[in-house]
Amino acid sequence: MNPHGSHVVQDSETNFAHIGMYQTVEGKWVITDVDKFKATQALFEMPVPPKTVSDTMCVYYYDNSMADQRELHDSGLAVTIEQLHSMRVEYTKLEGTPEENLEQINKLCVERGYQNRDEIAISPTLLENYEAKLKIFFAEHIHEDEEIRFVLEGRGFFDVRDKADRWVRILVEQGDLLVVPAGIYHRFSLDTSNYIRAMRLFKEDPKWTPINRPEADTNKYHVDYQRSVTEFS
């Protein structure tokens, strides 16, 4: 894994490093340098791609600025649903009645063998040492179990590393169901509203203890995850 998120262009790929991109043998364009690509966009008045993976979810490359983690940090570069799936991250928008949404949740629990659930609410008044805890949530880490979260109220961000080790930011809000696979580097933050309430789904003994980077680099679950996304591509 390259900590700088750079990509080594293979013989079958066309290198456009001067504009921050490369083209795969299948003809797909991949952004490798956000700053160079944005400069090229401005120079040639290229249209900015839409920021939404679907009509209801916002996913994009993180801008890596020093602004507060609760800000949008939107680089203006969208991430497609195919890219999200290539990281084995799953997203569903549940827009039914509470009863219909619960039916979908129950179905998912049966499919994945999840027997338990709880709810967690986070805000400055609900969580002691809120600012310190927020920084802990934002430390880059993995879990040895997948995380399944269904947002009931409020908003927040899940940031996940793509295969080139770049941060992808996923905005989650009411009705969003997100599955983050075991072993993927990720982090979490609330947005500037400072409030979220979510349902957590888990098996009898969830492995939610965070394992931070770089300790997790050699963790079996992370190594297996890296192998799985390489094979997927």
Side-chain angles (χ1 to χ4, degrees), residues 129-148:
N129 299 320
Y130 174 75
E131 293 293 338
K133 292 289 179 61
L134 205 60
K135 288 181 170 56
I136 292 173
F137 297 156
F138 204 59
E140 184 173 3
H141 64 278
I142 70 165
H143 295 296
E144 294 184 345
D145 262 345
E146 65 183 6
E147 287 188 71
I148 302 182

Side-chain angles (χ1 to χ4, degrees), residues 2-230:
N2 189 326
H4 303 293
S6 59
H7 172 83
V8 178
V9 176
Q10 306 298 319
D11 292 341
S12 58
E13 299 170 345
T14 305
N15 189 0
F16 288 85
H18 61 292
I19 62 171
M21 302 182 73
Y22 73 91
Q23 188 177 30
T24 68
V25 67
E26 295 88 1
K28 295 181 180 179
W29 289 95
V30 178
I31 296 167
T32 57
D33 188 311
V34 170
D35 292 333
K36 286 183 180 179
F37 179 75
K38 290 178 75 173
T40 304
Q41 279 186 313
L43 181 62
F44 294 101
E45 299 182 348
M46 297 166 60
V48 176
K51 298 182 179 65
T52 54
V53 165
S54 69
D55 291 337
T56 53
M57 188 171 181
C58 190
V59 184
Y60 48 84
Y61 284 108
Y62 188 85
D63 68 6
N64 293 319
S65 77
M66 298 303 292
D68 189 286
Q69 66 193 58
R70 287 163 283 197
E71 300 293 340
L72 284 174
H73 286 277
D74 188 350
S75 67
L77 302 175
V79 171
T80 67
I81 191 66
E82 290 80 15
Q83 287 172 294
L84 201 62
H85 286 168
S86 75
M87 292 180 271
R88 295 180 48 222
V89 176
E90 301 176 31
Y91 163 77
T92 306
K93 182 73 170 182
L94 301 185
E95 299 182 291
T97 65
E99 293 76 16
E100 290 169 339
N101 290 345
L102 183 58
E103 184 178 341
Q104 291 294 319
I105 295 291
N106 291 338
K107 180 180 178 183
L108 180 68
C109 287
V110 171
E111 291 173 350
R112 300 180 102 97
Y114 282 74
Q115 301 175 2
N116 297 304
R117 68 191 70 178
D118 66 7
E119 289 187 14
I120 183 170
I122 304 173
S123 76
T125 57
L126 295 172
L127 184 63
E128 188 176 358
N129 299 320
Y130 174 75
E131 293 293 338
K133 292 289 179 61
L134 205 60
K135 288 181 170 56
I136 292 173
F137 297 156
F138 204 59
E140 184 173 3
H141 64 278
I142 70 165
H143 295 296
E144 294 184 345
D145 262 345
E146 65 183 6
E147 287 188 71
I148 302 182
R149 302 290 183 266
F150 177 54
V151 181
L152 300 166
E153 294 178 322
R155 288 156 54 105
F157 301 108
F158 275 91
D159 297 341
V160 295
R161 289 285 192 186
D162 74 358
K163 287 181 284 189
D165 210 30
R166 297 164 297 189
W167 281 120
V168 170
R169 170 151 283 197
I170 307 168
L171 170 65
V172 292
E173 53 192 350
Q174 184 175 355
D176 287 342
L177 177 64
L178 192 69
V179 180
V180 178
I184 188 175
Y185 276 122
H186 66 286
R187 60 193 184 188
F188 172 76
S189 179
L190 279 76
D191 75 346
T192 53
S193 69
N194 288 299
Y195 176 69
I196 194 169
R197 183 169 68 92
M199 180 187 295
R200 304 186 296 185
L201 308 180
F202 53 97
K203 299 177 183 178
E204 289 185 357
D205 185 22
K207 300 174 183 177
W208 285 345
T209 301
I211 305 171
N212 288 356
R213 196 172 189 176
E215 178 187 351
D217 283 348
T218 56
N219 178 275
K220 176 185 183 301
Y221 291 86
H222 177 65
V223 172
D224 287 348
Y225 168 77
Q226 290 290 89
R227 184 183 299 113
S228 72
V229 295
T230 301

